[in-house]
Amino acid sequence: MLQTLALSKQFGATRALDAVSLKVEPGEIYCLLGANGAGKTTLVNVFLNFVDLSEGQALVDGMDVTREPLLTKQRLAYIPEQVMLYGALSGLENLRYFAALATGRQAPRAELLGLLAQAGLDTGAADRRVATYSKGMRQKVGIAIALAKNARALLLDEPTSGLDPKAAAEFSQLLRDARDRGVAVLTTTHDLFHAKQNGTRIGIMRAGSLVAELRSDELSHADLEALYLEHMK
């Protein structure tokens, strides 16, 4: 569903991505680990066609993101570290607006409330202004927008950063639910525990290169930490 083929991106003298090849299948959570500046966010931005690639290819559902930017975006949902919503609007109003942009239809209130409930947002919060929401609540609205769009792939950039343990656990369960529906999930993170607990596969990036790739069920938390630290030297 998501694939890069020898993907490289050059910013002046800096090679942000260096011949990265990876693949995320439907029903898989791929966790991308790496320090700041490793190239994780740049990779996500290439899939979204926010930045042009320098070499190689990025494919969504077999389509090249540079040749079919609109079609590929229709299959994607993106949840950044800070979900940007309209603070003066309620969670329900934000969902109605962004879902209409994505689908071209005005969904009825009952359907939207169902999506918010599926995303784990408390029913009593749906009509409250988003300005009063916690980060975790905002992310749940983001998940509801992805559900409304029926996105086939999720791109997430540090989704659990800054969440308290309860909110992080709830968000991780939402990702596993998406996986079980056959959605391909690519998430960047610094959190080794999150990667081990939720990832089907784990990739480690360093200085723009994918230096390791492994299945999460093949190693313990201690093994992952040791491997990660070894590559960060």
Side-chain angles (χ1 to χ4, degrees):
M1 186 64 201
L2 299 170
Q3 186 175 14
T4 63
L5 301 170
L7 177 64
S8 296
K9 174 60 182 177
Q10 194 86 16
F11 291 105
T14 302
R15 199 162 181 82
L17 295 171
D18 189 7
V20 175
S21 294
L22 61 79
K23 191 172 186 180
V24 188
E25 300 284 2
E28 183 173 39
I29 298 177
Y30 192 110
C31 292
L32 203 55
L33 291 168
N36 290 333
K40 306 185 303 298
T41 297
T42 301
L43 180 65
V44 169
N45 285 338
V46 168
F47 273 121
L48 293 165
N49 200 35
F50 289 171
V51 297
D52 296 327
L53 53 86
S54 301
E55 300 169 14
Q57 281 185 296
L59 306 174
V60 176
D61 201 15
M63 296 180 292
D64 192 306
V65 299
T66 61
R67 296 176 183 173
E68 302 285 357
L70 295 180
L71 287 176
T72 54
K73 284 187 178 72
Q74 289 173 5
R75 287 158 171 78
L76 297 173
Y78 170 52
I79 300 179
E81 182 177 354
Q82 298 292 338
V83 176
M84 302 304 294
L85 300 171
Y86 291 102
L89 301 180
S90 69
L92 182 67
E93 289 168 334
N94 271 279
L95 175 58
R96 178 182 291 119
Y97 174 73
F98 287 110
L101 284 180
T103 66
R105 61 180 284 266
Q106 289 286 343
R109 176 182 172 88
E111 180 180 332
L112 296 172
L113 287 173
L115 291 170
L116 289 170
Q118 189 177 346
L121 187 73
D122 185 88
T123 306
D127 290 309
R128 280 171 40 200
R129 288 189 178 186
V130 163
T132 69
Y133 281 16
S134 66
K135 178 180 177 180
M137 293 167 71
R138 287 171 174 262
Q139 287 182 322
K140 289 174 181 177
V141 177
I143 288 287
I145 294 168
L147 291 170
K149 191 177 181 182
N150 197 26
R152 299 178 63 182
L154 279 177
L155 299 172
L156 305 107
D157 197 4
E158 301 288 348
T160 59
S161 175
L163 294 183
D164 63 57
K166 181 177 182 294
E170 291 173 346
F171 191 79
S172 294
Q173 183 59 54
L174 292 173
L175 294 190
R176 293 192 291 269
D177 291 344
R179 174 201 63 196
D180 293 343
R181 294 194 305 271
V183 175
V185 180
L186 175 62
T187 176
T188 74
T189 184
H190 290 102
D191 188 342
L192 274 66
F193 179 81
H194 169 76
K196 169 62 179 144
Q197 287 294 104
N198 301 302
T200 308
R201 285 190 297 136
I202 298 170
I204 299 175
M205 290 193 70
R206 182 176 184 273
S209 296
L210 187 64
V211 295
E213 192 176 55
L214 50 143
R215 291 191 59 84
S216 60
D217 58 7
E218 294 177 345
L219 75 170
S220 67
H221 287 286
D223 291 336
L224 176 58
E225 182 177 15
L227 181 65
Y228 179 78
L229 293 175
E230 179 65 27
H231 281 296
M232 291 303 105
K233 288 181 180 179

